[in-house]
Amino acid sequence: MKVLLVVTGMSMGGAERVVADLADAFVKAGSEVLLVYLKAPLQVRPKRAEVELVCLGMESAKDMLTGYLKFVRLVRRFQPDVVHSH
């Protein structure tokens, strides 16, 4: 199964840790995982190297269109079975 996890950011925090732990658990269960976060920095990361991490670089409102188009390309390439957003 292909799982796409989407989160606002991966800075320090509880929600970010939950997303990283979910990504690790999905990989352990045999899923392919793509974790997409909207803005930097990347301070909390999954432990498993198999998790693909992509930052959309949506730091301000002017980055919205570029980030959206990048996200659409990622979804088309990855073709997820499940999209889990936070």
Side-chain angles (χ1 to χ4, degrees):
M1 180 183 334
K2 292 183 172 185
V3 179
L4 171 59
L5 297 169
V6 183
V7 66
T8 306
M10 289 302 287
S11 59
M12 297 300 282
E16 293 83 353
R17 182 77 263 152
V18 168
V19 172
D21 291 345
L22 275 174
D24 288 333
F26 285 134
V27 168
K28 185 177 179 180
S31 296
E32 186 177 342
V33 178
L34 171 61
L35 195 158
V36 176
Y37 55 105
L38 304 184
K39 55 186 180 177
L42 175 63
Q43 295 175 326
V44 176
R45 65 174 53 237
K47 293 176 183 164
R48 295 187 172 260
E50 299 95 324
V51 177
E52 183 180 354
L53 299 164
V54 177
C55 180
L56 296 180
M58 296 172 73
E59 304 301 325
S60 67
K62 67 179 182 171
D63 302 324
M64 291 277 223
L65 180 60
T66 306
Y68 172 76
L69 294 174
K70 187 175 181 180
F71 182 72
V72 169
R73 284 192 300 275
L74 284 169
V75 170
R76 287 183 179 157
R77 175 185 60 87
F78 189 63
Q79 296 183 348
D81 298 304
V82 175
V83 177
H84 193 188
S85 64
H86 303 265

